[in-house]
Amino acid sequence: MAVAHFPCIQFTRVTPKGSCVFSVGNYSRSNYKRRYLVLASATKLEENFGQSKVETLLNSIKWNEKGLAVAIAQNVDTGAILMQGFVNRDALATTISSRKATFYSRSRSTLWTKGETSNNFVNVHDIFLDCDRDSIIYLGKPDGPTCHTGAETCYFTSVTDILNDQQAEENKLALTTLYSLESTISQRKAELAAPQNGKPSWTKRLLLDQNLLCSKIRLMRYSGREEADELCRTLEENEDKSRTASEMGDVLYHALVLLALKDVKTEDVLAVLRHRFSQSGIEEKKSRKSHS
Amino acid sequence: MAVAHFPCIQFTRVTPKGSCVFSVGNYSRSNYKRRYLVLASATKLEENFGQSKVETLLNSIKWNEKGLAVAIAQNVDTGAILMQGFVNRDALATTISSRKATFYSRSRSTLWTKGETSNNFVNVHDIFLDCDRDSIIYLGKPDGPTCHTGAETCYFTSVTDILNDQQAEENKLALTTLYSLESTISQRKAELAAPQNGKPSWTKRLLLDQNLLCSKIRLMRYSGREEADELCRTLEENEDKSRTASEMGDVLYHALVLLALKDVKTEDVLAVLRHRFSQSGIEEKKSRKSHS
């Protein structure tokens, strides 16, 4: 979908007849940088989905007494909840047409597109409504850190840490299992670089011994089976499902250690997979170089 | 943390002094099943974190004019957003002490613990606050489907599908990349079982040919290198980071096909990894059977 960007022009609302109303941005704001504001073209919107369909959709939302619904921006690759705000009809209509996560600011009584000051837009791939139609997910890819503090997401304060007085001052993002493991491995790598390199750990041994790590991932010709091979054998020898889950855990863990050594993020791997989705496997296979 | 369950007793609020108020549940409700309600013990709460710390934390939340904040329940393993509700002081205090995701019902003006009627509790592992302290994540593990419709999450309505008239009636969960790939592979497997098994696809070829699949995952002794080996070589031969991401994508994709054949969910693999976190890698390694 073509999206035009113009600095300093604020999209404010879609009229009932589908025209768009814009106002000139405020130059005098102290935090004013280069503001890229998304021009949502009513013509585009009509062309793409038909105005009436969007209107019908907007009418189906259960807006609260202030005309708002909750909107949650989520990273399409990692699942991280980036931020949460509120939307009114115009904010949702703008997001549908511009594909940039747009909210309604309750304090400033105006629309705002995440990224309009920081350039860290959230590029929306799809929008989901909940069963009650009063809560919305913007599933998208952020251009950079989403929080105004510079953190990747706005959720970096752990209640458990606060209540246990554990590093309450140190930011700890709300991470799900895979990313929590990735983060732990990164910490181990950082500890190795420090003068006192902390407690011994299996992860550190793997990080220090590339041969050991690679032997764990692939089949060693003479010294027996390792992770990738063991995973296959759970299928071939019809082993327990729990055994498959455990072996797959081993493959994932060791592969994450390798990624850490290469400074590659799981998120980058998932982005590769996402880009491949748009082609069928056979087409995709053909389009890539032959591996062997 | 010990949590007592009693049917038909409704926890309603914590008084300013930390006592808990309970009321007897309503037997006459037509949808009444066996209601398990969480008894949050104020004594427990005090024992665990100290009442004053919890009070200080609750005072730090930016409650809205109705004394509420947004709370989002997220699956700790998959990152799926399960549901979104609102919390008041008592709902958050209850969640902190009971570790069962608890909300405030605006329509019924009462606390409710997700799962109190369905038994599908969301077991909260940690709680995160956003930078503004007016939005909360309950990061936890659901006992079963979270939505009252029986869907895994409440977000199964895609705006893009609605606007494109594509299977608007068919529920499509908001899935992030890994789970979207998992879902596509499951669909291919289901197509194979159907009389007309649809378009050819690489995934179907792999699902039908176990030897081909396993040869893709592990090193084949005589016929050259495959995925797990190629991933290692990106490290050993200092190849591009993009090459590592691509090879890791291959490993993940082929492993997901194997998991589909074994009917093992990615979520189960992540749960295995999460359980291993609580031990150091070396301890964990020792505790498991020697593999070779």
Side-chain angles (χ1 to χ4, degrees):
Chain A
M1 181 183 304
V3 175
H5 293 89
F6 296 88
C8 320
I9 302 179
Q10 173 79 53
F11 172 77
T12 51
R13 62 193 177 86
V14 182
T15 67
K17 289 193 174 167
S19 314
C20 285
V21 178
F22 300 95
S23 62
V24 175
N26 179 5
Y27 272 96
S28 65
R29 279 177 62 186
S30 60
N31 67 350
Y32 183 84
K33 295 182 187 168
R34 199 168 52 134
R35 292 180 67 149
Y36 277 91
L37 291 156
V38 178
L39 284 191
S41 146
T43 316
K44 270 281 165 224
L45 195 139
E46 252 175 84
E47 272 172 20
N48 283 306
F49 299 121
Q51 182 62 20
S52 65
K53 276 191 194 170
V54 174
E55 285 294 315
T56 305
L57 175 82
L58 294 173
N59 290 340
S60 79
I61 307 288
K62 212 191 279 170
W63 305 104
N64 73 8
E65 68 284 2
K66 292 178 181 169
L68 302 175
V70 166
I72 303 159
Q74 186 180 27
N75 186 317
V76 65
D77 287 326
T78 66
I81 298 176
L82 301 168
M83 59 162 287
Q84 176 262 313
F86 289 86
V87 288
N88 61 3
R89 285 178 73 92
D90 295 348
L92 183 54
T94 303
T95 305
I96 289 170
S97 61
S98 69
R99 298 276 158 175
K100 305 280 177 194
T102 301
F103 301 88
Y104 177 79
S105 165
R106 292 170 302 167
S107 57
R108 291 185 283 121
S109 303
T110 176
L111 296 199
W112 67 281
T113 298
K114 170 65 210 160
E116 64 188 25
T117 52
S118 66
N119 275 339
N120 291 332
F121 293 95
V122 176
N123 305 286
V124 176
H125 292 222
D126 203 350
I127 300 168
F128 285 85
L129 312 176
D130 80 340
C131 51
D132 291 335
R133 299 228 167 175
D134 61 0
S135 184
I136 292 159
I137 296 176
Y138 286 160
L139 194 62
K141 189 73 181 174
D143 284 329
T146 299
C147 187
H148 72 285
T149 62
E152 267 184 67
T153 82
C154 294
Y155 298 87
F156 49 76
T157 306
S158 154
V159 164
T160 304
D161 280 0
I162 292 178
L163 295 178
N164 287 327
D165 287 330
Q166 277 177 350
Q167 303 163 322
E169 298 306 309
E170 201 180 302
N171 292 342
K172 186 179 94 173
L173 283 176
L175 294 177
T176 51
T177 299
L178 192 62
Y179 306 94
S180 179
L181 176 56
E182 180 174 65
S183 164
T184 303
I185 294 170
S186 285
Q187 280 168 34
R188 297 289 168 273
K189 193 180 167 194
E191 283 168 29
L192 284 177
Q196 291 183 313
N197 57 29
K199 288 185 195 166
S201 86
W202 177 248
T203 302
K204 285 181 191 168
R205 269 179 64 186
L206 290 172
L207 286 166
L208 288 170
D209 189 345
Q210 190 169 301
N211 289 336
L212 177 63
L213 173 62
C214 288
S215 77
K216 296 305 292 179
I217 296 176
R218 71 176 154 210
L219 173 69
M220 289 300 287
R221 195 165 298 196
Y222 305 111
S223 64
R225 316 194 308 259
E226 283 298 341
E227 309 311 353
D229 189 54
E230 294 195 55
L231 178 63
C232 293
R233 293 180 80 97
T234 69
L235 177 67
E236 293 164 336
E237 298 176 5
N238 200 22
E239 291 188 75
D240 247 25
K241 284 164 74 163
S242 64
R243 184 95 186 135
T244 305
S246 173
E247 295 300 344
M248 181 60 193
D250 286 349
V251 168
L252 261 184
Y253 163 72
H254 288 96
L256 286 180
V257 176
L258 189 146
L259 293 187
L261 278 172
K262 289 289 291 181
D263 283 322
V264 172
K265 291 204 151 281
T266 304
E267 182 170 2
D268 301 333
V269 175
L270 294 170
V272 166
L273 286 173
R274 178 162 46 78
H275 289 129
R276 286 188 198 161
F277 283 172
S278 51
Q279 308 171 54
S280 86
I282 287 174
E283 283 166 21
E284 197 275 322
K285 195 82 192 161
K286 277 187 195 157
S287 73
R288 288 158 62 206
K289 287 176 192 161
S290 173
H291 285 177
S292 58
Chain B
M1 184 181 302
V3 175
H5 293 88
F6 297 89
C8 321
I9 301 178
Q10 172 79 55
F11 172 77
T12 50
R13 63 193 177 85
V14 181
T15 67
K17 287 190 175 169
S19 312
C20 286
V21 178
F22 301 95
S23 62
V24 175
N26 179 5
Y27 273 98
S28 65
R29 279 177 61 184
S30 60
N31 66 349
Y32 183 84
K33 295 182 186 169
R34 199 169 50 137
R35 293 181 64 147
Y36 276 91
L37 292 156
V38 178
L39 284 191
S41 148
T43 317
K44 270 280 165 224
L45 196 140
E46 253 173 83
E47 271 172 21
N48 282 306
F49 299 121
Q51 183 63 19
S52 65
K53 275 192 198 170
V54 174
E55 284 295 315
T56 306
L57 175 82
L58 294 173
N59 291 339
S60 78
I61 307 287
K62 211 191 279 172
W63 305 103
N64 73 9
E65 68 283 2
K66 293 178 180 168
L68 302 175
V70 166
I72 303 159
Q74 186 179 27
N75 184 316
V76 66
D77 287 327
T78 67
I81 298 175
L82 302 168
M83 59 161 289
Q84 175 262 312
F86 289 85
V87 289
N88 62 2
R89 286 177 72 94
D90 295 348
L92 183 55
T94 303
T95 305
I96 289 170
S97 62
S98 70
R99 298 276 159 176
K100 306 278 178 196
T102 300
F103 301 88
Y104 178 79
S105 165
R106 293 170 300 165
S107 56
R108 291 185 285 121
S109 303
T110 176
L111 295 200
W112 67 280
T113 297
K114 169 66 211 161
E116 65 188 25
T117 53
S118 65
N119 274 339
N120 291 333
F121 292 95
V122 177
N123 304 287
V124 176
H125 292 223
D126 202 350
I127 300 167
F128 285 84
L129 312 176
D130 80 338
C131 51
D132 291 336
R133 299 226 168 176
D134 60 0
S135 183
I136 292 159
I137 296 176
Y138 286 160
L139 195 62
K141 190 73 181 173
D143 284 330
T146 299
C147 187
H148 72 286
T149 62
E152 266 183 69
T153 82
C154 294
Y155 298 88
F156 49 76
T157 306
S158 154
V159 165
T160 303
D161 280 359
I162 292 177
L163 296 179
N164 288 326
D165 286 330
Q166 278 178 348
Q167 302 164 322
E169 298 307 308
E170 202 180 300
N171 292 343
K172 187 179 94 175
L173 284 176
L175 294 177
T176 52
T177 299
L178 192 62
Y179 306 94
S180 180
L181 177 55
E182 181 175 64
S183 164
T184 302
I185 294 169
S186 286
Q187 281 169 31
R188 298 289 168 274
K189 193 180 167 195
E191 282 168 28
L192 283 177
Q196 290 182 311
N197 56 29
K199 288 184 196 168
S201 86
W202 178 248
T203 301
K204 285 181 191 167
R205 268 179 63 185
L206 291 171
L207 286 165
L208 288 170
D209 188 345
Q210 191 169 301
N211 290 336
L212 176 64
L213 173 62
C214 288
S215 77
K216 296 305 293 179
I217 295 174
R218 70 176 154 210
L219 173 70
M220 290 300 287
R221 194 164 297 195
Y222 305 110
S223 63
R225 318 194 308 258
E226 282 300 340
E227 308 312 352
D229 189 53
E230 293 195 54
L231 178 63
C232 293
R233 294 179 80 97
T234 70
L235 177 67
E236 294 165 335
E237 298 177 7
N238 200 23
E239 291 188 76
D240 248 25
K241 285 164 74 163
S242 63
R243 183 97 187 133
T244 306
S246 173
E247 295 299 344
M248 181 60 193
D250 286 350
V251 168
L252 262 183
Y253 163 71
H254 289 98
L256 287 180
V257 176
L258 190 145
L259 293 186
L261 278 172
K262 290 289 290 180
D263 282 322
V264 171
K265 291 204 151 280
T266 305
E267 182 169 2
D268 301 334
V269 175
L270 294 169
V272 166
L273 287 173
R274 178 162 46 78
H275 291 129
R276 286 191 198 159
F277 283 172
S278 51
Q279 306 172 58
S280 85
I282 287 174
E283 281 167 22
E284 197 275 324
K285 195 81 192 162
K286 276 185 195 157
S287 74
R288 287 157 64 205
K289 286 176 192 160
S290 173
H291 286 177
S292 58

